[in-house]
Amino acid sequence: MNRRILLIRKKFLNFPVLLCVFVFLQINQANAQVSLRDSILHELGNLKLQGIKKSDTLYIDTMLDLADEQRYFVLDSLYILAKEALSLSQQSGYLKGESNAFTSLGTYYSDKGKYDTAIKNYKNASKIADEIGNSTLKLSNINNIAGEYGYMGDYALALKYYLQGIELAENVNAKIMLSIITENIANLYISQKDYTQAMIFYTKVKSLNEEIGDPIIMAETMSNMASAYADMNNLELAMYNVNNSIRIFEDKKILDWLAYAYEIKGKIYLKQEKYNWAMYWYRQSELLHNDLNDDRSEIPLLNGIAKANLKLNKDSISEVYAKKAMGLSKKIADISGTRECAEILYAINKKKGDFKEALTYHELYQKVSDTLSRNENKKGLTMLKTKIEYDQQKELLILENEEALAKQWLYLNIALFLLLIFLGITLLIRKNARIQKALNKELISKQSDLEKKEEHLKELNETKNKLFSIIGHDLRGPIGAFQGLIKLFKEGEMTKDEFLGFVPKLKSDIDHISFTLNNLLSWGQTQMNGSVTKPRSTDLKHIVLENIALLTEIANSKSIKLINRLDDNTLTWSDSDQMDIVIRNLISNALKFTPKNGMVTIGAIEKTKHWEIYVRDNGIGMNEETMGKIFSKSQTHTSYGTNDEKGTGLGLSLCKEMIEKNNGIIWVNSALNKGSSFYFTLPKAVKKYKKTA
């Protein structure tokens, strides 16, 4: 996985440290980290002066804290301190210290690439944490175990432990760990190039992070999302996220994550083919890595530098960095890094004509790719996706059943109340009075039915008149003109060249007739037969892209730019067929009233419970009087476009009906000669996802 696995970041309280390991500290480390380690050493010195024994829990905790701080600087110090803390904890029966010591040893072996040994230590730590009822320690180690299986390429087992962590985190309301594990599951989907599912989990992570309110956690997520967006070639969002994360890491002096964020920024510039800028940010990351002992994070950095140099035709430098990355990948058994190194070295050797060496690296690349893409990994992730969808549908069904049950109880109570009243009346009035009341009730009911039928007939008659009016006004003209041209050509009064000169106009008229008939059929169905709205999770961006493709020819004929600003996650709870009609009418309407060289923009603004979609043009605009008529059902308002395009006047009325049937509203802002902006709202799609590590 080409991104950082999220781990718990410890905050200094009073954790572990030994004076004997001071020799491992190096003066040239970053000020923030050195200051923290010096602070811990000072704390330990105070404990010794106060006569605190090594077996004391405070002393052991301080020793373990120093061990963790040594991880990215002198890794062997982490091992020495953790072993000493483990021994002291076992001698004094301090189970929490023993669990933390096993965790630190697991971290040491993980960074050494000895994943089986790391997992063994993490499992020991988790077992002890379970014995003492410390859910925080257990959660941390479950997450660590899953991460190790991820490094080994066994995503199915990684997913198994992540799901265990999700369940435990929800039970104990551990929001930070829930965020971490959910994000790690998103990273598993990224490794399988399932970006849609990954973004669903990232959306859940962002929501959890907002509840937590920790800027460092938010920055870590933004760094991983920046890497994901870069993989998706959504470079604008990638740059936005990485710049925000860099600002926080620089402010908080989180150097290991800052090195990672610099590397991601270099990756984005590499994707943009700005190779010199890519090299600049890669060098910034490389400078930080000179003071960090973080082989796993250095591998993608070295590969990025190799790619940038290869693009700059500095093949020999590229090969040096790629081989260094390959060496680190083999050292810590990083199969994901090995795959990327092999791909780069294949390209380098192929370019210089060493086909034998190129074939060797290609075979290595294929072997590692098969390992990472094996069926059980894909099957596990697919099963999780299916389970989440099932749980979502189940929760929705439960909610609907509860609402239905509540209504039934309400109706039952009302019925019982009415029954009591009826029984009371029955005892007080005579039989004839009851009969008379029943007759009156029947008479009123029949009168109401007659009034409803009369109103329905009136509406049908108005619909018929409107249909005939539109057919006579907007369809008969173009059809008659078409017939006249054919008659002139047939009778020889028009040459073939003259007739061909009218073909573009005829095509435009036929397109207008087709569009008008579609609107008439849709509107007629809603008015005469009633249309059934079937809401479901609807991807508005997909609908917009289809309609842009459909209307591109019309836009090109007027040199109008069609711009889509909808994100991939613009999911609404609506009828997709009805939304297709609404989007098509609004875009067509915008094209109609926008002059040549204009621009039509379609976008969406995310609100708490709904999406606000807009279709904006810089056309001729409308006055207040026109805006008051365009959505009216009782009258048809038709205007000619900038190229004398015709319309039925039904489009916006039809849009209003369909938006309202999907629990939304529609409105317009416009000014003459400045353009119009049509807005409508739709409920968000119902979705509940969980998990990360």
Side-chain angles (χ1 to χ4, degrees), residues 419-440:
L419 180 60
L420 290 173
I421 294 175
F422 176 75
L423 290 174
I425 294 174
T426 302
L427 296 174
L428 297 174
I429 62 175
R430 297 181 180 181
K431 184 177 180 179
N432 290 337
R434 293 200 307 270
I435 295 173
Q436 184 64 41
K437 184 177 180 181
L439 290 174
N440 289 337

mmCIF file with all atom_site columns, all heavy atoms in Angstrom, residues 419-440:
data_model
loop_
_atom_site.group_PDB
_atom_site.id
_atom_site.type_symbol
_atom_site.label_atom_id
_atom_site.label_alt_id
_atom_site.label_comp_id
_atom_site.label_asym_id
_atom_site.label_entity_id
_atom_site.label_seq_id
_atom_site.pdbx_PDB_ins_code
_atom_site.Cartn_x
_atom_site.Cartn_y
_atom_site.Cartn_z
_atom_site.occupancy
_atom_site.B_iso_or_equiv
_atom_site.pdbx_formal_charge
_atom_site.auth_seq_id
_atom_site.auth_comp_id
_atom_site.auth_asym_id
_atom_site.auth_atom_id
_atom_site.pdbx_PDB_model_num
ATOM 1   N N   . LEU A 1 419 ? -64.107 5.054  18.803 1.00 0.00 ? 419 LEU A N   1
ATOM 2   C CA  . LEU A 1 419 ? -65.062 4.008  19.170 1.00 0.00 ? 419 LEU A CA  1
ATOM 3   C C   . LEU A 1 419 ? -65.793 4.361  20.464 1.00 0.00 ? 419 LEU A C   1
ATOM 4   O O   . LEU A 1 419 ? -67.012 4.170  20.585 1.00 0.00 ? 419 LEU A O   1
ATOM 5   C CB  . LEU A 1 419 ? -64.328 2.675  19.321 1.00 0.00 ? 419 LEU A CB  1
ATOM 6   C CG  . LEU A 1 419 ? -65.201 1.464  19.696 1.00 0.00 ? 419 LEU A CG  1
ATOM 7   C CD1 . LEU A 1 419 ? -66.272 1.223  18.632 1.00 0.00 ? 419 LEU A CD1 1
ATOM 8   C CD2 . LEU A 1 419 ? -64.342 0.227  19.890 1.00 0.00 ? 419 LEU A CD2 1
ATOM 9   N N   . LEU A 1 420 ? -65.045 4.887  21.423 1.00 0.00 ? 420 LEU A N   1
ATOM 10  C CA  . LEU A 1 420 ? -65.678 5.295  22.684 1.00 0.00 ? 420 LEU A CA  1
ATOM 11  C C   . LEU A 1 420 ? -66.708 6.401  22.457 1.00 0.00 ? 420 LEU A C   1
ATOM 12  O O   . LEU A 1 420 ? -67.800 6.395  23.035 1.00 0.00 ? 420 LEU A O   1
ATOM 13  C CB  . LEU A 1 420 ? -64.608 5.761  23.673 1.00 0.00 ? 420 LEU A CB  1
ATOM 14  C CG  . LEU A 1 420 ? -63.685 4.659  24.224 1.00 0.00 ? 420 LEU A CG  1
ATOM 15  C CD1 . LEU A 1 420 ? -62.573 5.278  25.063 1.00 0.00 ? 420 LEU A CD1 1
ATOM 16  C CD2 . LEU A 1 420 ? -64.492 3.656  25.061 1.00 0.00 ? 420 LEU A CD2 1
ATOM 17  N N   . ILE A 1 421 ? -66.312 7.363  21.618 1.00 0.00 ? 421 ILE A N   1
ATOM 18  C CA  . ILE A 1 421 ? -67.257 8.449  21.303 1.00 0.00 ? 421 ILE A CA  1
ATOM 19  C C   . ILE A 1 421 ? -68.510 7.893  20.635 1.00 0.00 ? 421 ILE A C   1
ATOM 20  O O   . ILE A 1 421 ? -69.654 8.258  20.961 1.00 0.00 ? 421 ILE A O   1
ATOM 21  C CB  . ILE A 1 421 ? -66.587 9.495  20.399 1.00 0.00 ? 421 ILE A CB  1
ATOM 22  C CG1 . ILE A 1 421 ? -65.462 10.191 21.168 1.00 0.00 ? 421 ILE A CG1 1
ATOM 23  C CG2 . ILE A 1 421 ? -67.591 10.518 19.891 1.00 0.00 ? 421 ILE A CG2 1
ATOM 24  C CD1 . ILE A 1 421 ? -64.665 11.163 20.341 1.00 0.00 ? 421 ILE A CD1 1
ATOM 25  N N   . PHE A 1 422 ? -68.271 6.975  19.693 1.00 0.00 ? 422 PHE A N   1
ATOM 26  C CA  . PHE A 1 422 ? -69.402 6.402  18.967 1.00 0.00 ? 422 PHE A CA  1
ATOM 27  C C   . PHE A 1 422 ? -70.345 5.636  19.899 1.00 0.00 ? 422 PHE A C   1
ATOM 28  O O   . PHE A 1 422 ? -71.576 5.734  19.794 1.00 0.00 ? 422 PHE A O   1
ATOM 29  C CB  . PHE A 1 422 ? -68.860 5.471  17.882 1.00 0.00 ? 422 PHE A CB  1
ATOM 30  C CG  . PHE A 1 422 ? -69.938 4.748  17.119 1.00 0.00 ? 422 PHE A CG  1
ATOM 31  C CD1 . PHE A 1 422 ? -70.705 5.391  16.166 1.00 0.00 ? 422 PHE A CD1 1
ATOM 32  C CD2 . PHE A 1 422 ? -70.182 3.395  17.367 1.00 0.00 ? 422 PHE A CD2 1
ATOM 33  C CE1 . PHE A 1 422 ? -71.699 4.717  15.475 1.00 0.00 ? 422 PHE A CE1 1
ATOM 34  C CE2 . PHE A 1 422 ? -71.172 2.722  16.687 1.00 0.00 ? 422 PHE A CE2 1
ATOM 35  C CZ  . PHE A 1 422 ? -71.929 3.382  15.726 1.00 0.00 ? 422 PHE A CZ  1
ATOM 36  N N   . LEU A 1 423 ? -69.750 4.880  20.811 1.00 0.00 ? 423 LEU A N   1
ATOM 37  C CA  . LEU A 1 423 ? -70.580 4.139  21.761 1.00 0.00 ? 423 LEU A CA  1
ATOM 38  C C   . LEU A 1 423 ? -71.397 5.085  22.644 1.00 0.00 ? 423 LEU A C   1
ATOM 39  O O   . LEU A 1 423 ? -72.571 4.830  22.959 1.00 0.00 ? 423 LEU A O   1
ATOM 40  C CB  . LEU A 1 423 ? -69.697 3.242  22.634 1.00 0.00 ? 423 LEU A CB  1
ATOM 41  C CG  . LEU A 1 423 ? -69.061 2.038  21.920 1.00 0.00 ? 423 LEU A CG  1
ATOM 42  C CD1 . LEU A 1 423 ? -68.101 1.323  22.859 1.00 0.00 ? 423 LEU A CD1 1
ATOM 43  C CD2 . LEU A 1 423 ? -70.150 1.081  21.429 1.00 0.00 ? 423 LEU A CD2 1
ATOM 44  N N   . GLY A 1 424 ? -70.755 6.199  23.038 1.00 0.00 ? 424 GLY A N   1
ATOM 45  C CA  . GLY A 1 424 ? -71.485 7.179  23.839 1.00 0.00 ? 424 GLY A CA  1
ATOM 46  C C   . GLY A 1 424 ? -72.652 7.776  23.081 1.00 0.00 ? 424 GLY A C   1
ATOM 47  O O   . GLY A 1 424 ? -73.762 7.935  23.631 1.00 0.00 ? 424 GLY A O   1
ATOM 48  N N   . ILE A 1 425 ? -72.394 8.098  21.820 1.00 0.00 ? 425 ILE A N   1
ATOM 49  C CA  . ILE A 1 425 ? -73.464 8.680  20.988 1.00 0.00 ? 425 ILE A CA  1
ATOM 50  C C   . ILE A 1 425 ? -74.576 7.661  20.757 1.00 0.00 ? 425 ILE A C   1
ATOM 51  O O   . ILE A 1 425 ? -75.778 7.995  20.754 1.00 0.00 ? 425 ILE A O   1
ATOM 52  C CB  . ILE A 1 425 ? -72.879 9.164  19.651 1.00 0.00 ? 425 ILE A CB  1
ATOM 53  C CG1 . ILE A 1 425 ? -71.922 10.332 19.904 1.00 0.00 ? 425 ILE A CG1 1
ATOM 54  C CG2 . ILE A 1 425 ? -73.973 9.583  18.685 1.00 0.00 ? 425 ILE A CG2 1
ATOM 55  C CD1 . ILE A 1 425 ? -71.177 10.791 18.680 1.00 0.00 ? 425 ILE A CD1 1
ATOM 56  N N   . THR A 1 426 ? -74.124 6.401  20.583 1.00 0.00 ? 426 THR A N   1
ATOM 57  C CA  . THR A 1 426 ? -75.108 5.349  20.329 1.00 0.00 ? 426 THR A CA  1
ATOM 58  C C   . THR A 1 426 ? -76.108 5.228  21.486 1.00 0.00 ? 426 THR A C   1
ATOM 59  O O   . THR A 1 426 ? -77.305 4.955  21.274 1.00 0.00 ? 426 THR A O   1
ATOM 60  C CB  . THR A 1 426 ? -74.391 4.002  20.113 1.00 0.00 ? 426 THR A CB  1
ATOM 61  O OG1 . THR A 1 426 ? -73.485 4.127  19.020 1.00 0.00 ? 426 THR A OG1 1
ATOM 62  C CG2 . THR A 1 426 ? -75.384 2.892  19.822 1.00 0.00 ? 426 THR A CG2 1
ATOM 63  N N   . LEU A 1 427 ? -75.613 5.424  22.697 1.00 0.00 ? 427 LEU A N   1
ATOM 64  C CA  . LEU A 1 427 ? -76.488 5.340  23.869 1.00 0.00 ? 427 LEU A CA  1
ATOM 65  C C   . LEU A 1 427 ? -77.405 6.544  24.004 1.00 0.00 ? 427 LEU A C   1
ATOM 66  O O   . LEU A 1 427 ? -78.426 6.484  24.680 1.00 0.00 ? 427 LEU A O   1
ATOM 67  C CB  . LEU A 1 427 ? -75.637 5.201  25.134 1.00 0.00 ? 427 LEU A CB  1
ATOM 68  C CG  . LEU A 1 427 ? -74.791 3.910  25.229 1.00 0.00 ? 427 LEU A CG  1
ATOM 69  C CD1 . LEU A 1 427 ? -73.881 3.978  26.450 1.00 0.00 ? 427 LEU A CD1 1
ATOM 70  C CD2 . LEU A 1 427 ? -75.705 2.689  25.303 1.00 0.00 ? 427 LEU A CD2 1
ATOM 71  N N   . LEU A 1 428 ? -77.054 7.658  23.380 1.00 0.00 ? 428 LEU A N   1
ATOM 72  C CA  . LEU A 1 428 ? -77.804 8.900  23.571 1.00 0.00 ? 428 LEU A CA  1
ATOM 73  C C   . LEU A 1 428 ? -78.810 9.214  22.458 1.00 0.00 ? 428 LEU A C   1
ATOM 74  O O   . LEU A 1 428 ? -79.740 9.987  22.652 1.00 0.00 ? 428 LEU A O   1
ATOM 75  C CB  . LEU A 1 428 ? -76.833 10.084 23.720 1.00 0.00 ? 428 LEU A CB  1
ATOM 76  C CG  . LEU A 1 428 ? -75.894 10.041 24.945 1.00 0.00 ? 428 LEU A CG  1
ATOM 77  C CD1 . LEU A 1 428 ? -74.894 11.192 24.881 1.00 0.00 ? 428 LEU A CD1 1
ATOM 78  C CD2 . LEU A 1 428 ? -76.700 10.107 26.244 1.00 0.00 ? 428 LEU A CD2 1
ATOM 79  N N   . ILE A 1 429 ? -78.572 8.713  21.290 1.00 0.00 ? 429 ILE A N   1
ATOM 80  C CA  . ILE A 1 429 ? -79.459 9.078  20.164 1.00 0.00 ? 429 ILE A CA  1
ATOM 81  C C   . ILE A 1 429 ? -80.310 7.897  19.734 1.00 0.00 ? 429 ILE A C   1
ATOM 82  O O   . ILE A 1 429 ? -79.995 6.743  20.002 1.00 0.00 ? 429 ILE A O   1
ATOM 83  C CB  . ILE A 1 429 ? -78.634 9.616  18.985 1.00 0.00 ? 429 ILE A CB  1
ATOM 84  C CG1 . ILE A 1 429 ? -77.675 8.545  18.447 1.00 0.00 ? 429 ILE A CG1 1
ATOM 85  C CG2 . ILE A 1 429 ? -77.848 10.839 19.371 1.00 0.00 ? 429 ILE A CG2 1
ATOM 86  C CD1 . ILE A 1 429 ? -76.930 8.962  17.209 1.00 0.00 ? 429 ILE A CD1 1
ATOM 87  N N   . ARG A 1 430 ? -81.311 8.214  19.043 1.00 0.00 ? 430 ARG A N   1
ATOM 88  C CA  . ARG A 1 430 ? -82.260 7.191  18.585 1.00 0.00 ? 430 ARG A CA  1
ATOM 89  C C   . ARG A 1 430 ? -81.816 6.594  17.256 1.00 0.00 ? 430 ARG A C   1
ATOM 90  O O   . ARG A 1 430 ? -80.965 7.144  16.557 1.00 0.00 ? 430 ARG A O   1
ATOM 91  C CB  . ARG A 1 430 ? -83.644 7.805  18.420 1.00 0.00 ? 430 ARG A CB  1
ATOM 92  C CG  . ARG A 1 430 ? -84.214 8.327  19.734 1.00 0.00 ? 430 ARG A CG  1
ATOM 93  C CD  . ARG A 1 430 ? -85.588 8.907  19.516 1.00 0.00 ? 430 ARG A CD  1
ATOM 94  N NE  . ARG A 1 430 ? -86.149 9.406  20.770 1.00 0.00 ? 430 ARG A NE  1
ATOM 95  C CZ  . ARG A 1 430 ? -87.355 9.942  20.874 1.00 0.00 ? 430 ARG A CZ  1
ATOM 96  N NH1 . ARG A 1 430 ? -88.114 10.106 19.803 1.00 0.00 ? 430 ARG A NH1 1
ATOM 97  N NH2 . ARG A 1 430 ? -87.796 10.344 22.058 1.00 0.00 ? 430 ARG A NH2 1
ATOM 98  N N   . LYS A 1 431 ? -82.483 5.514  16.945 1.00 0.00 ? 431 LYS A N   1
ATOM 99  C CA  . LYS A 1 431 ? -82.163 4.792  15.727 1.00 0.00 ? 431 LYS A CA  1
ATOM 100 C C   . LYS A 1 431 ? -82.377 5.649  14.481 1.00 0.00 ? 431 LYS A C   1
ATOM 101 O O   . LYS A 1 431 ? -81.566 5.659  13.554 1.00 0.00 ? 431 LYS A O   1
ATOM 102 C CB  . LYS A 1 431 ? -83.023 3.533  15.658 1.00 0.00 ? 431 LYS A CB  1
ATOM 103 C CG  . LYS A 1 431 ? -82.717 2.643  14.463 1.00 0.00 ? 431 LYS A CG  1
ATOM 104 C CD  . LYS A 1 431 ? -83.568 1.383  14.513 1.00 0.00 ? 431 LYS A CD  1
ATOM 105 C CE  . LYS A 1 431 ? -83.289 0.473  13.327 1.00 0.00 ? 431 LYS A CE  1
ATOM 106 N NZ  . LYS A 1 431 ? -84.085 -0.755 13.370 1.00 0.00 ? 431 LYS A NZ  1
ATOM 107 N N   . ASN A 1 432 ? -83.475 6.399  14.471 1.00 0.00 ? 432 ASN A N   1
ATOM 108 C CA  . ASN A 1 432 ? -83.780 7.224  13.299 1.00 0.00 ? 432 ASN A CA  1
ATOM 109 C C   . ASN A 1 432 ? -82.727 8.311  13.093 1.00 0.00 ? 432 ASN A C   1
ATOM 110 O O   . ASN A 1 432 ? -82.377 8.645  11.958 1.00 0.00 ? 432 ASN A O   1
ATOM 111 C CB  . ASN A 1 432 ? -85.154 7.869  13.440 1.00 0.00 ? 432 ASN A CB  1
ATOM 112 C CG  . ASN A 1 432 ? -86.261 6.837  13.316 1.00 0.00 ? 432 ASN A CG  1
ATOM 113 O OD1 . ASN A 1 432 ? -86.056 5.771  12.727 1.00 0.00 ? 432 ASN A OD1 1
ATOM 114 N ND2 . ASN A 1 432 ? -87.437 7.131  13.875 1.00 0.00 ? 432 ASN A ND2 1
ATOM 115 N N   . ALA A 1 433 ? -82.247 8.867  14.226 1.00 0.00 ? 433 ALA A N   1
ATOM 116 C CA  . ALA A 1 433 ? -81.217 9.901  14.115 1.00 0.00 ? 433 ALA A CA  1
ATOM 117 C C   . ALA A 1 433 ? -79.934 9.319  13.516 1.00 0.00 ? 433 ALA A C   1
ATOM 118 O O   . ALA A 1 433 ? -79.266 9.955  12.708 1.00 0.00 ? 433 ALA A O   1
ATOM 119 C CB  . ALA A 1 433 ? -80.945 10.502 15.479 1.00 0.00 ? 433 ALA A CB  1
ATOM 120 N N   . ARG A 1 434 ? -79.620 8.082  13.918 1.00 0.00 ? 434 ARG A N   1
ATOM 121 C CA  . ARG A 1 434 ? -78.423 7.439  13.381 1.00 0.00 ? 434 ARG A CA  1
ATOM 122 C C   . ARG A 1 434 ? -78.562 7.196  11.879 1.00 0.00 ? 434 ARG A C   1
ATOM 123 O O   . ARG A 1 434 ? -77.612 7.377  11.123 1.00 0.00 ? 434 ARG A O   1
ATOM 124 C CB  . ARG A 1 434 ? -78.170 6.110  14.098 1.00 0.00 ? 434 ARG A CB  1
ATOM 125 C CG  . ARG A 1 434 ? -77.786 6.263  15.567 1.00 0.00 ? 434 ARG A CG  1
ATOM 126 C CD  . ARG A 1 434 ? -77.089 4.999  16.097 1.00 0.00 ? 434 ARG A CD  1
ATOM 127 N NE  . ARG A 1 434 ? -77.867 3.791  15.863 1.00 0.00 ? 434 ARG A NE  1
ATOM 128 C CZ  . ARG A 1 434 ? -78.769 3.306  16.719 1.00 0.00 ? 434 ARG A CZ  1
ATOM 129 N NH1 . ARG A 1 434 ? -78.997 3.942  17.869 1.00 0.00 ? 434 ARG A NH1 1
ATOM 130 N NH2 . ARG A 1 434 ? -79.423 2.214  16.444 1.00 0.00 ? 434 ARG A NH2 1
ATOM 131 N N   . ILE A 1 435 ? -79.738 6.753  11.490 1.00 0.00 ? 435 ILE A N   1
ATOM 132 C CA  . ILE A 1 435 ? -79.972 6.500  10.059 1.00 0.00 ? 435 ILE A CA  1
ATOM 133 C C   . ILE A 1 435 ? -79.853 7.799  9.267  1.00 0.00 ? 435 ILE A C   1
ATOM 134 O O   . ILE A 1 435 ? -79.249 7.849  8.191  1.00 0.00 ? 435 ILE A O   1
ATOM 135 C CB  . ILE A 1 435 ? -81.361 5.849  9.848  1.00 0.00 ? 435 ILE A CB  1
ATOM 136 C CG1 . ILE A 1 435 ? -81.390 4.459  10.497 1.00 0.00 ? 435 ILE A CG1 1
ATOM 137 C CG2 . ILE A 1 435 ? -81.686 5.762  8.367  1.00 0.00 ? 435 ILE A CG2 1
ATOM 138 C CD1 . ILE A 1 435 ? -82.761 3.801  10.486 1.00 0.00 ? 435 ILE A CD1 1
ATOM 139 N N   . GLN A 1 436 ? -80.469 8.865  9.815  1.00 0.00 ? 436 GLN A N   1
ATOM 140 C CA  . GLN A 1 436 ? -80.417 10.156 9.137  1.00 0.00 ? 436 GLN A CA  1
ATOM 141 C C   . GLN A 1 436 ? -78.962 10.641 8.989  1.00 0.00 ? 436 GLN A C   1
ATOM 142 O O   . GLN A 1 436 ? -78.571 11.177 7.959  1.00 0.00 ? 436 GLN A O   1
ATOM 143 C CB  . GLN A 1 436 ? -81.234 11.193 9.924  1.00 0.00 ? 436 GLN A CB  1
ATOM 144 C CG  . GLN A 1 436 ? -81.331 12.556 9.242  1.00 0.00 ? 436 GLN A CG  1
ATOM 145 C CD  . GLN A 1 436 ? -82.068 12.484 7.911  1.00 0.00 ? 436 GLN A CD  1
ATOM 146 O OE1 . GLN A 1 436 ? -83.084 11.788 7.786  1.00 0.00 ? 436 GLN A OE1 1
ATOM 147 N NE2 . GLN A 1 436 ? -81.545 13.182 6.894  1.00 0.00 ? 436 GLN A NE2 1
ATOM 148 N N   . LYS A 1 437 ? -78.187 10.453 10.052 1.00 0.00 ? 437 LYS A N   1
ATOM 149 C CA  . LYS A 1 437 ? -76.781 10.868 10.025 1.00 0.00 ? 437 LYS A CA  1
ATOM 150 C C   . LYS A 1 437 ? -75.997 10.085 8.965  1.00 0.00 ? 437 LYS A C   1
ATOM 151 O O   . LYS A 1 437 ? -75.159 10.642 8.237  1.00 0.00 ? 437 LYS A O   1
ATOM 152 C CB  . LYS A 1 437 ? -76.163 10.636 11.402 1.00 0.00 ? 437 LYS A CB  1
ATOM 153 C CG  . LYS A 1 437 ? -74.729 11.127 11.518 1.00 0.00 ? 437 LYS A CG  1
ATOM 154 C CD  . LYS A 1 437 ? -74.213 10.930 12.924 1.00 0.00 ? 437 LYS A CD  1
ATOM 155 C CE  . LYS A 1 437 ? -72.773 11.412 13.043 1.00 0.00 ? 437 LYS A CE  1
ATOM 156 N NZ  . LYS A 1 437 ? -72.242 11.217 14.405 1.00 0.00 ? 437 LYS A NZ  1
ATOM 157 N N   . ALA A 1 438 ? -76.297 8.772  8.894  1.00 0.00 ? 438 ALA A N   1
ATOM 158 C CA  . ALA A 1 438 ? -75.618 7.942  7.899  1.00 0.00 ? 438 ALA A CA  1
ATOM 159 C C   . ALA A 1 438 ? -75.966 8.395  6.483  1.00 0.00 ? 438 ALA A C   1
ATOM 160 O O   . ALA A 1 438 ? -75.108 8.439  5.592  1.00 0.00 ? 438 ALA A O   1
ATOM 161 C CB  . ALA A 1 438 ? -75.995 6.482  8.098  1.00 0.00 ? 438 ALA A CB  1
ATOM 162 N N   . LEU A 1 439 ? -77.267 8.740  6.273  1.00 0.00 ? 439 LEU A N   1
ATOM 163 C CA  . LEU A 1 439 ? -77.692 9.210  4.951  1.00 0.00 ? 439 LEU A CA  1
ATOM 164 C C   . LEU A 1 439 ? -77.006 10.522 4.582  1.00 0.00 ? 439 LEU A C   1
ATOM 165 O O   . LEU A 1 439 ? -76.578 10.710 3.444  1.00 0.00 ? 439 LEU A O   1
ATOM 166 C CB  . LEU A 1 439 ? -79.221 9.373  4.925  1.00 0.00 ? 439 LEU A CB  1
ATOM 167 C CG  . LEU A 1 439 ? -80.032 8.069  4.974  1.00 0.00 ? 439 LEU A CG  1
ATOM 168 C CD1 . LEU A 1 439 ? -81.524 8.382  5.102  1.00 0.00 ? 439 LEU A CD1 1
ATOM 169 C CD2 . LEU A 1 439 ? -79.780 7.225  3.721  1.00 0.00 ? 439 LEU A CD2 1
ATOM 170 N N   . ASN A 1 440 ? -76.949 11.402 5.565  1.00 0.00 ? 440 ASN A N   1
ATOM 171 C CA  . ASN A 1 440 ? -76.277 12.681 5.303  1.00 0.00 ? 440 ASN A CA  1
ATOM 172 C C   . ASN A 1 440 ? -74.795 12.474 4.967  1.00 0.00 ? 440 ASN A C   1
ATOM 173 O O   . ASN A 1 440 ? -74.242 13.139 4.087  1.00 0.00 ? 440 ASN A O   1
ATOM 174 C CB  . ASN A 1 440 ? -76.405 13.595 6.530  1.00 0.00 ? 440 ASN A CB  1
ATOM 175 C CG  . ASN A 1 440 ? -77.825 14.097 6.713  1.00 0.00 ? 440 ASN A CG  1
ATOM 176 O OD1 . ASN A 1 440 ? -78.609 14.130 5.761  1.00 0.00 ? 440 ASN A OD1 1
ATOM 177 N ND2 . ASN A 1 440 ? -78.176 14.471 7.944  1.00 0.00 ? 440 ASN A ND2 1
#
